[in-house]
Amino acid sequence: MKIVGNMDTKLKLCFVFIVALSRNSEHSVSGERVALRIVDKTHSNLGSDFNAVKKLLLKVQPASFSGPAHFQSLLGKCFSLITDSYKYEFCPYKNMTQHEQTLRWNPYSGVLGVWQQWQISNNTFEAMVMEEGDSCGVLSRSTTVFFSCGDVNKLIEVKEPNKCRYVARFQTPLVCHRDAVLVYPWLPEELQHQWDTVETRLYRKEITTKGYNKQLQGIFEEAGFRLSNATKIHLMEEAKKVQQQTKIQEFDSLNLCNSEFKRLKSEVELLKQKLKDNNIDYSNEELAEVRPVDSDGVDYLDEFPHADFMDDM
């Protein structure tokens, strides 16, 4: 049996599974695999902090550090901005995420992009490109993070000018010097010589502008500033391995279900405390709106009327 759904529905279904297994003589389930479906209803007044327990899975692994050496001071740091009921979190060289801040059940929380490469223009590191975020229809969310000079490191703006395509602005003293984000100085000497040669060939009209841009792209890929297709595929494969390692186990045994029940029960207690802190009324009757139902429409809470486990929570 595989149980899907939100944390609260998993908790209830998990308990029902335990009850069903414990009452096999009376209801003839005896550990038999039972297909379950759930009828869920969105609640409008529950705390978004509960969503923090959900681990966000990445479709691609972040690329390695690249760019100006002084940007290493941003490694391991994250910067937040709350605007329009959303909290945006930018972690340079990691990812960009979005977390809904409204007090309702199951608020949105997702990945707007994973660090991949630099956007380079006119010999300048123009922006960090975060790609392969959460699915958005046939697209994947992506974010381009531009930099501006400022006294402190600060995420100052996030917009969505086009569907699932976000643009962010990050203020930092790291870009205040006029040469701080020039590309050429941060290339290894050998690649600088290659760039010099390509510039000379373009000046002599030995190559076209298209050929020049193609060779320059190759130099940036070799330096790690841009990603080749092979590197992109490798990062996606690595992300799949991580997903497999962290995949939520199916409740195919009583021990697993019981363990998950205890873990989720603890999370519910945290949520109830958060609701209390926000002076939001909460009663067991609200959870009665979320009921586990099998493939034939049988309501398990009707089948097991003594399964009043919510009284113990």
Side-chain angles (χ1 to χ4, degrees), residues 235-249:
L235 292 175
M236 288 182 178
E237 291 175 344
E238 290 299 307
K240 288 180 180 179
K241 292 179 182 178
V242 173
Q243 288 182 18
Q244 291 172 355
Q245 293 171 358
T246 59
K247 184 180 179 182
I248 298 176
Q249 294 178 308

Side-chain angles (χ1 to χ4, degrees), residues 25-270:
S25 60
E26 186 176 343
H27 295 274
S28 301
V29 291
S30 61
E32 178 183 357
R33 291 175 179 265
V34 181
L36 294 181
R37 64 185 175 87
I38 54 177
V39 179
D40 201 352
K41 180 176 181 179
T42 299
H43 293 256
S44 60
N45 63 343
L46 299 181
S48 61
D49 282 6
F50 179 64
N51 203 45
V53 303
K54 185 177 79 171
K55 181 177 179 61
L56 300 178
L57 297 179
L58 305 182
K59 295 195 297 184
V60 63
Q61 285 293 93
S64 302
F65 173 87
S66 68
H70 52 279
F71 270 54
Q72 291 185 27
S73 63
L74 298 177
L75 289 172
K77 298 179 181 179
C78 294
F79 306 89
S80 300
L81 171 68
I82 297 179
T83 179
D84 297 330
S85 299
Y86 286 99
K87 177 182 178 181
Y88 297 94
E89 191 165 54
F90 170 50
C91 300
Y93 298 103
K94 289 295 183 182
N95 53 56
M96 172 77 81
T97 57
Q98 181 187 53
H99 309 277
E100 188 175 357
Q101 297 297 290
T102 54
L103 290 174
R104 71 178 183 87
W105 189 247
N106 194 30
Y108 173 77
S109 185
V111 180
L112 301 187
V114 181
W115 157 246
Q116 295 293 279
Q117 57 190 346
W118 283 97
Q119 179 173 302
I120 297 175
S121 178
N122 296 323
N123 186 28
T124 301
F125 291 108
E126 189 174 50
M128 279 188 177
V129 180
M130 307 283 192
E131 298 177 310
E132 298 299 332
D134 287 350
S135 296
C136 181
V138 297
L139 303 174
S140 291
R141 301 178 192 273
S142 66
T143 304
T144 305
V145 184
F146 291 88
F147 295 85
S148 62
C149 175
D151 295 334
V152 296
N153 293 322
K154 184 179 181 181
L155 182 62
I156 58 176
E157 183 181 58
V158 180
K159 292 186 176 181
E160 187 181 5
N162 298 300
K163 183 180 179 181
C164 309
R165 296 290 182 260
Y166 301 83
V167 175
R169 299 195 178 278
F170 184 74
Q171 175 183 288
T172 176
L174 297 176
V175 301
C176 291
H177 191 280
R178 64 178 184 178
D179 297 333
V181 288
L182 292 180
V183 176
Y184 187 89
W186 300 107
L187 286 171
E189 187 175 348
E190 180 181 347
L191 293 181
Q192 288 181 348
H193 290 325
Q194 289 185 31
W195 194 345
D196 293 341
T197 299
V198 172
E199 290 283 353
T200 300
R201 295 190 64 194
L202 177 66
Y203 176 77
R204 293 176 177 175
K205 298 183 179 181
E206 296 176 359
I207 56 175
T208 62
T209 301
K210 182 178 180 179
Y212 167 82
N213 290 331
K214 183 177 180 180
Q215 291 188 43
L216 209 57
Q217 174 70 17
I219 292 173
F220 295 156
E221 288 180 3
E222 190 171 346
F225 302 155
R226 302 278 299 173
L227 295 186
S228 65
N229 289 332
T231 303
K232 290 181 179 180
I233 293 174
H234 172 72
L235 292 175
M236 288 182 178
E237 291 175 344
E238 290 299 307
K240 288 180 180 179
K241 292 179 182 178
V242 173
Q243 288 182 18
Q244 291 172 355
Q245 293 171 358
T246 59
K247 184 180 179 182
I248 298 176
Q249 294 178 308
E250 298 178 3
F251 299 136
D252 54 4
S253 73
L254 178 58
N255 286 338
L256 281 176
C257 195
N258 196 26
S259 175
E260 184 71 358
F261 172 80
K262 292 178 180 178
R263 184 180 70 82
L264 294 177
K265 182 176 179 180
S266 175
E267 291 174 357
V268 169
E269 290 299 326
L270 292 176

